Amino acid sequence: MAADKLAPVKVNYCGVCGLPAEYCEFGPDFERCKPWLRAHAPGVYPEELVASSSGGSEKDVDKVGERLQGVGISTADGSSSTGGASASKQEEVKRLPGGKLKKKDKQEVIIEKIVRNKRKCVTVVKGLELFGVKLSDASKKLGKKFATGASVVKGPTEKEQIDVQGDISYDVVEFITDTWPDVPESAIYFIEDGRKVAAA
């Protein structure tokens, strides 16, 4: 007697947050998912849970959204900013899967000296790309200036960094500020004994 083949399970994904309908309540914004769940997945949640908290319909949800859009934020000089500022703020903040917000990287250049085989060392320069510097061009210039090998590699955090052969950690600060005036000396830090120390 052969066993019957099981049919694959059809998963109903939410059109708002992209999670399976059963997991919408754990998503980033369950309130926005409720109208979609009422229309497309009526049997997943009890009616009391999916019903809107104010007891109204989708129109009420839209009205609240419009009111929130119209609210302005007043700045220090007394002027209020509305839609344009919020749009640029939304571009600045990126959302990761699961609704987590991605923090914007701090603009700083970190220089670290790594010792290999007791005598040889490598100077690592991280963060130049945050100032609009092309890393491939920067590695060529560093290699020519200090007559060493320099390459762009991915670091342990999957971000690109420049590895320069030799101990040039203190000479590289002046070179960076002279070559790229957009990089201020106050934004350059050294990693010494596991601590971040300002170069200036």
Side-chain angles (χ1 to χ4, degrees):
M1 186 163 119
D4 293 331
K5 280 193 170 181
L6 296 174
V9 177
K10 175 133 176 44
V11 179
N12 191 6
Y13 289 99
C14 176
V16 178
C17 66
L19 293 172
E22 300 86 32
Y23 293 99
C24 274
E25 65 181 303
F26 305 111
D29 196 1
F30 184 51
E31 292 298 320
R32 285 184 43 214
C33 296
K34 285 181 180 180
W36 188 91
L37 289 170
R38 267 186 264 135
H40 297 91
V44 175
Y45 289 104
E47 197 59 41
E48 306 86 52
L49 184 64
V50 179
S52 126
S53 56
S54 62
S57 63
E58 291 181 37
K59 292 178 184 175
D60 291 340
V61 174
D62 291 339
K63 285 180 186 176
V64 170
E66 287 174 11
R67 269 191 277 154
L68 287 174
Q69 291 277 337
V71 173
I73 300 169
S74 61
T75 56
D77 61 352
S79 64
S80 65
S81 59
T82 52
S86 64
S88 65
K89 194 77 163 172
Q90 287 174 349
E91 291 171 4
E92 231 176 74
V93 177
K94 291 185 179 178
R95 284 195 176 263
L96 295 173
K100 293 181 181 174
L101 297 178
K102 182 178 181 182
K103 293 180 183 174
K104 198 172 181 186
D105 289 336
K106 226 180 195 180
Q107 280 198 328
E108 58 187 18
V109 176
I110 296 176
I111 299 168
E112 184 177 6
K113 183 176 93 170
I114 300 171
V115 179
R116 309 181 291 140
N117 300 338
K118 297 184 181 166
R119 284 180 10 167
K120 305 206 178 216
C121 55
V122 175
T123 304
V124 179
V125 181
K126 304 175 195 173
L128 274 177
E129 73 278 359
L130 299 173
F131 292 94
V133 177
K134 239 178 137 180
L135 292 183
S136 57
D137 295 343
S139 70
K140 283 180 188 174
K141 287 181 181 179
L142 284 166
K144 281 184 181 178
K145 166 72 177 169
F146 297 105
T148 63
S151 60
V152 178
V153 295
K154 282 203 176 191
T157 59
E158 293 298 315
K159 289 187 178 178
E160 290 189 332
Q161 62 189 27
I162 300 173
D163 283 0
V164 184
Q165 293 176 8
D167 183 10
I168 60 160
S169 53
Y170 290 100
D171 301 331
V172 78
V173 175
E174 187 180 338
F175 177 72
I176 288 173
T177 53
D178 291 346
T179 310
W180 299 284
D182 294 343
V183 183
E185 194 171 344
S186 60
I188 301 176
Y189 295 93
F190 292 111
I191 301 285
E192 292 178 352
D193 301 326
R195 291 178 296 130
K196 193 175 3 174
V197 180

